């Protein structure tokens, strides 16, 4: 598949670029950023895909998280895709921050009109890894997968369902039980309808209860001052399911941190080191 470089900047001796391509899966033009550490131009390196949260594009984490310094030091390729299809302009698509544009929820929609384009699960689990594998100096077939908030939900659900592709998973402030919170219930009803069996396929807590596990320890960082902690995120539900199923997990409750990129930038280095260790063991 042809990709087009839109921008490129030297950063910590590596390269931070943005690419566009016409997606077969989402049937529209998609953008993603890629950081390439200097060593990757002579030696293939592991790649980590970062999934962003509600309202974000590829740009937010690329400019705010400060991952480039750590990626250069560890020799990691970092890929940051968008959070939804763009340019479809369905009725009400842009009316709210938690549904439609910028809120694809990393699932394959079954309800019209969303089912034609909102197929972010297939985009992240199939199309994007294939594009990265064929266009960049990555060690394949394994990728690390991480994300924040809605993107943390995506990292957990996609990772649990595809452990052969994503054997290393971590998250910041993830929506771990979307079937049980307002954000998830709104998105699932709109994209998937009323079939709760379909909802379970995109709910990390339900997937864990049903036997989906990661081959490596799962790392989650959650701020104790996160304004969405009690109503939307509910990390204890996922922790309980993991313990019941014997999934190795580390949930770190970080005192005083909120839901912002100040929180992410404080611990992004830990997550990249976590993924480097896991991927080196594959």
């Amino acid at each position: 598949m042809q990709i087009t470089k839109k921008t490129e900047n030297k950063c910590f001796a590596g390269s931070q670029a943005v690419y566009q391509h016409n997606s077969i899966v989402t049937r529209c033009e998609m953008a993603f950023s890629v950081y390439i550490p200097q060593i990757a131009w002579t030696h293939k390196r592991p790649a980590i895909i970062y999934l962003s949260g509600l309202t974000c594009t590829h740009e937010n984490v690329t400019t705010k998280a400060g991952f480039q310094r750590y990626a250069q030091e560890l020799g990691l390729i970092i890929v940051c895709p968008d959070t939804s299809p763009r340019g479809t302009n369905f009725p009400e698509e842009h009316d709210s921050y938690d549904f439609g544009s910028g809120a694809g929820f990393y699932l394959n929609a079954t309800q019209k009109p969303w089912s034609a384009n909102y197929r972010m699960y297939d985009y992240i689990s199939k199309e994007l890894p294939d594009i990265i594998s064929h266009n960049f100096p990555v060690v394949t077939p394994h990728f690390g997968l991480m994300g924040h908030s809605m993107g943390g939900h995506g990292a957990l659900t996609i990772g649990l369902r595809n452990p052969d592709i994503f054997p290393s998973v971590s998250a910041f402030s993830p929506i771990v039980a979307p079937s049980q919170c307002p954000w998830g219930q709104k998105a699932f009803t709109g994209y998937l309808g009323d079939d709760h069996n379909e909802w379970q396929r995109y709910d990390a807590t339900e997937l864990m209860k049903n036997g989906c596990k990661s081959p490596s320890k799962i790392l989650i960082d959650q701020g104790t001052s996160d304004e969405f902690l009690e109503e939307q995120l509910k990390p204890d539900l996922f922790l309980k399911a993991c313990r019941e199923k014997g999934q190795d997990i580390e949930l770190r409750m970080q005192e005083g941190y909120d839901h912002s990129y100040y929180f992410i930038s404080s611990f992004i280095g830990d997550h990249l080191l976590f993924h480097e260790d896991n991927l080196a063991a594959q």
Side-chain angles (χ1 to χ4, degrees):
M1 179 180 293
Q2 182 177 0
I3 63 174
T4 302
K5 185 188 297 183
K6 305 303 292 186
T7 64
E8 183 175 22
N9 300 91
K10 187 172 183 177
C11 185
F12 295 108
S15 168
Q16 179 63 68
V18 175
Y19 292 83
Q20 289 183 339
H21 70 101
N22 290 315
S23 170
I24 296 172
V25 171
T26 66
R27 302 179 184 177
C28 67
E29 191 172 77
M30 299 292 289
F32 60 89
S33 74
V34 180
Y35 181 77
I36 306 291
Q38 187 179 35
I39 191 176
W41 298 122
T42 55
H43 299 81
K44 290 185 177 182
R45 299 299 300 163
I48 299 169
I49 297 175
Y50 178 99
L51 306 182
S52 294
L54 292 168
T55 75
C56 292
T57 68
H58 65 276
E59 184 176 11
N60 301 75
V61 64
T62 304
T63 59
K64 293 181 179 181
F67 61 75
Q68 291 87 352
R69 180 190 295 272
Y70 301 105
Q72 169 63 18
E73 292 173 355
L74 297 172
L76 297 173
I77 295 171
I78 312 295
V79 181
C80 305
D82 204 345
T83 52
S84 76
R86 303 287 173 173
T88 48
N89 293 319
F90 295 129
E92 302 180 357
E93 184 176 13
H94 313 302
D95 291 356
S96 60
Y97 79 95
D98 54 357
F99 185 81
S101 180
F105 264 82
Y106 303 102
L107 50 76
N108 288 339
T110 60
Q111 302 299 298
K112 294 181 179 179
W114 315 102
S115 56
N117 304 87
Y118 276 65
R119 304 185 61 81
M120 292 299 294
Y121 176 87
D122 279 355
Y123 180 72
I124 299 300
S125 65
K126 298 177 182 178
E127 187 172 26
L128 185 61
D130 188 57
I131 291 171
I132 300 304
S133 296
H134 286 89
N135 290 278
F136 299 96
V138 301
V139 176
T140 53
H142 300 126
F143 293 81
L145 189 61
M146 61 188 298
H148 170 234
S149 194
M150 179 186 72
H153 143 75
L156 292 174
T157 56
I158 294 172
L160 290 175
R161 289 175 59 181
N162 301 274
D164 54 330
I165 303 173
F166 305 107
S168 182
V169 178
S170 74
F172 294 96
S173 314
I175 306 170
V176 301
S179 300
Q180 301 182 56
C181 75
W183 278 341
Q185 291 165 352
K186 177 178 179 177
F188 284 5
T189 300
Y191 294 133
L192 302 174
D194 296 326
D195 184 354
H196 284 235
N197 290 326
E198 190 71 14
W199 289 23
Q200 290 186 9
R201 299 177 65 228
Y202 302 102
D203 185 308
T205 298
E206 295 302 317
L207 288 172
M208 183 60 61
K209 289 179 180 179
N210 289 327
C212 294
K213 296 173 67 175
S214 174
S216 303
K217 178 171 71 175
I218 295 173
L219 173 63
I220 294 177
D221 272 318
Q222 172 64 62
T224 62
S225 296
D226 190 320
E227 62 269 40
F228 305 114
L229 176 57
E230 298 300 326
E231 182 181 28
Q232 305 282 11
L233 305 179
K234 306 177 186 293
D236 287 345
L237 295 178
F238 186 64
L239 179 63
K240 181 175 183 291
C242 287
R243 287 175 172 170
E244 289 176 350
K245 291 297 181 178
Q247 170 67 57
D248 193 4
I249 181 172
E250 183 176 7
L251 171 61
R252 308 193 305 186
M253 300 300 297
Q254 303 290 2
E255 186 67 32
Y257 285 91
D258 58 19
H259 200 71
S260 71
Y261 271 95
Y262 295 112
F263 166 55
I264 296 170
S265 64
S266 297
F267 300 101
I268 192 83
D270 291 353
H271 282 245
L272 295 187
L273 183 58
F274 168 83
H275 286 285
E276 184 203 31
D277 289 344
N278 282 347
L279 294 174
Q282 297 302 312

